[in-house]
Amino acid sequence: MPSIFITGAAGGLGRAVAEKFYAAGWTVGAYDLAALDDERFVCGHLDVRDPDSWEAALQDFVSRSGGSIDVVDNNAGLIIDGPLVDADPAAIQQVISVNATGISLGARAAYRYLRASRGHLVNMASASAIYGQPGIAVYSATKFYVAGLTEALNLEWRDDNIRVVDLWPLWAQTSLADNGAASVRRLGVRITPEQVADTVFTAVHPRSRWARGKVHYGVSAMDKAMYLSRSLAPDRLVGLLTRKIAG
C-alpha cells in the first residue's frame, strides 16, 4: 500500500491528514516532537530542526512501511504574534528554525526516498504568503519562504519525477489560530482540519497532466479568491486590502 510521512502529526492539521490517509488505506507515519501513541499509525519522534533527527525518523518509517515513502507532508509549524519590535529574539529564531530551516532539512532528507518512489513533497504554506501580514510578520515571512522553496524544488526535482506542492489556507481550527492577529478576528476561523486534509489528498492525486502542473493549492473559496486577486492586482491595491483585513 502507498505510504505517507507526516510531521507535526500529534494534533491539528497533521493529525487530520493522518486520519484521512489512513482511512484511504495508506500506511501512515505520524512523527512529532511530542509523544504520539496510536496503533493505527507508525509513530515516532522528530525534531524538524535537527538533520540527524530527520535521517533517523525517515529510516525508522521506511523500516516499518515496506521500504518506501510516497508522500512527505512537511506540516510542522509555529507562530508568534504581536509587533516585531516587541518579539523575543529567541522566539523569532525558533519560528524561523521550524518553519523555514525545518522544512528545508525535511526536503533534503526526503529527496532520496521520493526519487525512488516518484513521489510527492507537500509543504504547508499559508494565505499569509499572499501579502505580508502585520502582527504575524515573522510567521508570514516564513510562509513566503515555503512558497519560494516549493516553486524552486518543483523545478529542481522535475527530472527526478518528484512533484513538490504546497497549501495556502486561511486560518484553520487548530491551536495555531489562537493568536491576536487582526485577520483572525476579521475573517474568522472557518476552515476545518478535515478540509485541509482533503486538499492534501487531492494534491497528491492529480487526475490529469494539467492538474499535475498545479503547485499552489488553496483550501477555501476565500483563500483561493485572495490568491487569484493577488496575481491580478498591483501591490498598492493588495497592500491596501491587507491593511483593512490585518492592519
Side-chain angles (χ1 to χ4, degrees):
M1 61 181 67
S3 61
I4 180 171
F5 180 98
I6 306 164
T7 72
L13 302 183
R15 185 59 177 260
V17 173
E19 300 274 359
K20 172 71 177 182
F21 279 76
Y22 178 81
W26 287 53
T27 299
V28 174
Y31 285 71
D32 203 300
L33 192 60
L36 175 64
D37 183 17
D38 191 316
E39 63 183 12
R40 298 171 301 166
F41 312 140
V42 177
C43 300
H45 176 270
L46 172 63
D47 182 347
V48 298
R49 302 165 297 179
D50 180 356
D52 292 335
S53 185
W54 266 108
E55 294 292 343
L58 289 169
Q59 289 176 19
D60 175 67
F61 180 57
V62 165
S63 72
R64 297 192 276 166
S65 70
S68 66
I69 305 175
D70 297 286
V71 176
V72 170
D73 179 17
N74 253 330
N75 170 75
L78 295 176
I79 191 170
I80 54 172
D81 62 331
L84 178 63
V85 295
D86 296 333
D88 179 356
I92 293 173
Q93 291 175 328
Q94 186 178 33
V95 170
I96 294 172
S97 181
V98 171
N99 295 7
T101 304
I103 210 167
S104 303
L105 293 175
R108 179 180 180 274
Y111 168 76
R112 63 189 177 101
Y113 300 103
L114 296 178
R115 181 179 61 180
S117 65
R118 298 188 170 192
H120 286 76
L121 176 67
V122 180
N123 297 325
M124 185 55 64
S126 163
S128 66
I130 295 173
Y131 197 92
Q133 296 291 300
I136 52 169
V138 176
Y139 173 81
S140 180
T142 63
K143 296 308 180 178
F144 276 84
Y145 180 95
V146 171
L149 183 72
T150 298
E151 292 171 354
L153 293 183
N154 191 54
L155 297 176
E156 190 172 316
W157 293 355
R158 184 180 299 272
D159 290 343
D160 295 310
N161 294 299
I162 302 171
R163 185 162 168 259
V164 185
V165 300
D166 60 21
L167 272 65
W168 293 45
L170 286 164
W171 298 112
Q173 295 167 10
T174 71
S175 59
L176 201 73
D178 185 16
N179 66 74
S183 57
V184 172
R185 300 191 306 273
R186 291 174 181 168
L187 297 178
V189 183
R190 305 178 186 279
I191 296 174
T192 66
E194 290 73 25
Q195 284 178 282
V196 175
D198 288 345
T199 304
V200 174
F201 197 81
T202 297
V204 302
H205 291 91
R207 296 185 177 182
S208 66
R209 191 167 184 175
W210 176 260
R212 190 171 177 84
K214 187 176 178 65
V215 177
H216 305 302
Y217 284 80
V219 174
S220 68
M222 182 175 289
D223 58 56
K224 291 175 184 178
M226 290 174 65
Y227 178 80
L228 178 61
S229 67
R230 176 66 183 94
S231 65
L232 299 175
D235 286 349
R236 184 170 295 182
L237 176 59
V238 178
L240 177 61
L241 292 174
T242 301
R243 284 176 57 193
K244 291 189 175 296
I245 292 173

